[in-house]
Amino acid sequence: MSQSKQKVGFATHIMAGGIAGMAEALACQPLDTIKVRMQLSKSGLRPGTKPRGFIATGVQIVKRETPLALYKGLGAVLSGIIPKMAIRFAAFETYKNALADKQTGKTSTGMVFVAGLGAGVTEAVAVVTPMEVVKIRLQAQQHSLADPLEIPRYRNAAHAVYTIIREEGVSALYRGVSLTALRQATNQGANFTAYQEIKKFALRMQPDLPELPSYQHMIIGLISGAMGPFSNAPIDTIKTRLQKMPAKPGETAWSRITKIAGDMWRQEGFKSFYKGITPRVLRVAPGQAIVFAVYERVRKVIETVQTEEQDTYSE
């Protein structure tokens, strides 16, 4: 089994990660749209009113904008999530191998966490930040898709990129990059570490199994995927608000972050930092369950095909 693992190449991680990312996006986009709307919502500020919840937000979107509105920003997500997942898994495996003990070839739990941190920062800078700026701008638009006369500011992902660059400059696509990198780093550090450790435990408990079945990969991914959102929800909420609004002349990124955080604390209270946590966990945890299950399955198929080809050529 160790020999087959050594044969896994960079291209395999790229391909398996990309396919896994596409599967996750198609399954979980509605939950992400609800999360973004909840994070941007100012409902509940008036005395005697409560913030709009997860179900109520979803129902409102469907009623006012049609069910297709739950998939707003999907184009931006698909164009970004496939390279994001490819980069995530390829970067993680690269960092993990580089941090492995030179004599044993094994990577300690601490170094797995560091590799996860590195993978999160890499994907944040390379793909996630510009993708999320575009996605959030599209998701924040509350126009009805059933009314052709109601023209939104951004028609699609490509038009949003063009408009943002024309009106705000290329740097606007990297607004919130520091917060995004921090969020992705903590997400993937916790995610990969938990996944690897629980997977090792599951294999130890089932010594007769050469590989875990897909449903077990999904359960492990579900558990590991839920850890990140609870640890960095305030970062994600501030980042969402930062990326929605155009920058004002003379404002630094840090001054905008502190202003947003201060306004949230004074006007909406501590709970506002955890707005959208329910749909985020419901999106991220099942998303990671899908990602890891698909990734492990696709990687196994590619390894099998490559092994069969090698056997054929050796004959």
Side-chain angles (χ1 to χ4, degrees):
M1 194 165 74
S2 62
Q3 287 180 344
S4 66
K5 285 186 178 179
Q6 290 174 357
K7 293 178 182 177
V8 180
F10 189 80
T12 300
H13 296 301
I14 290 282
M15 190 179 302
I19 294 172
M22 182 174 65
E24 183 213 6
L26 293 172
C28 300
Q29 180 64 12
L31 293 168
D32 190 68
T33 299
I34 295 172
K35 180 212 76 168
V36 167
R37 291 293 181 87
M38 288 180 71
Q39 289 178 328
L40 297 176
S41 172
K42 300 294 179 68
S43 66
L45 290 181
R46 290 194 297 272
T49 62
K50 293 182 178 180
R52 193 177 295 113
F54 166 58
I55 300 295
T57 301
V59 169
Q60 184 190 49
I61 293 171
V62 171
K63 280 185 176 179
R64 290 177 56 181
E65 306 168 47
T66 79
L68 284 176
L70 293 170
Y71 284 90
K72 282 181 177 179
L74 180 62
V77 173
L78 282 176
S79 62
I81 201 167
I82 295 174
K84 177 181 88 169
M85 289 299 178
I87 290 169
R88 173 184 297 177
F89 281 98
F92 173 73
E93 293 294 339
T94 300
Y95 297 145
K96 189 179 80 166
N97 291 336
L99 294 168
D101 186 277
K102 303 303 179 185
Q103 295 180 337
T104 64
K106 294 181 179 180
T107 310
S108 67
T109 302
M111 290 300 100
V112 167
F113 182 74
V114 172
L117 292 177
V121 172
T122 302
E123 70 178 14
V125 175
V127 179
V128 176
T129 304
M131 178 190 80
E132 292 214 339
V133 169
V134 173
K135 175 182 71 71
I136 287 168
R137 297 289 181 95
L138 290 168
Q139 289 174 321
Q141 298 182 132
Q142 300 188 22
H143 65 288
S144 173
L145 297 178
D147 186 356
L149 298 179
E150 196 173 344
I151 302 173
R153 176 175 172 77
Y154 307 113
R155 294 192 295 271
N156 50 50
H159 181 251
V161 171
Y162 170 76
T163 304
I164 292 168
I165 292 176
R166 186 189 64 189
E167 296 181 356
E168 304 173 49
V170 176
S171 62
L173 292 174
Y174 282 88
R175 188 163 296 144
V177 65
S178 57
L179 290 177
T180 305
L182 182 59
R183 184 198 66 179
Q184 293 304 112
T186 52
N187 266 351
Q188 300 320 314
N191 190 18
F192 277 114
T193 304
Y195 182 82
Q196 299 269 316
E197 292 304 306
I198 299 172
K199 181 180 174 182
K200 287 178 189 175
F201 175 77
L203 286 168
R204 283 198 303 271
M205 292 296 102
Q206 305 167 98
D208 295 336
L209 288 179
E211 294 283 344
L212 295 178
S214 293
Y215 81 89
Q216 291 191 22
H217 287 301
M218 290 191 75
I219 293 171
I220 297 170
L222 188 75
I223 296 169
S224 66
M227 294 185 175
F230 284 112
S231 66
N232 56 30
I235 297 170
D236 188 58
T237 303
I238 296 170
K239 176 200 70 69
T240 298
R241 296 196 180 193
L242 179 72
Q243 291 176 326
K244 177 188 178 280
M245 298 180 297
K248 294 180 181 178
E251 268 191 334
T252 64
W254 179 247
S255 67
R256 296 187 69 220
I257 291 169
T258 53
K259 183 179 185 302
I260 290 169
D263 288 346
M264 288 173 64
W265 179 267
R266 287 189 299 272
Q267 298 173 16
E268 302 171 62
F270 174 76
K271 288 184 179 180
S272 66
F273 291 96
Y274 285 85
K275 276 188 173 181
I277 186 65
T278 300
R280 187 176 175 216
V281 171
L282 289 176
R283 186 227 183 282
V284 173
Q288 289 307 300
I290 293 169
V291 163
F292 278 114
V294 173
Y295 173 81
E296 297 278 8
R297 177 57 55 190
V298 172
R299 190 184 72 169
K300 183 66 177 174
V301 169
I302 295 172
E303 287 177 21
T304 302
V305 171
Q306 288 176 341
T307 303
E308 289 175 354
E309 286 180 352
Q310 287 172 1
D311 291 342
T312 301
Y313 288 131
S314 64
E315 291 174 0

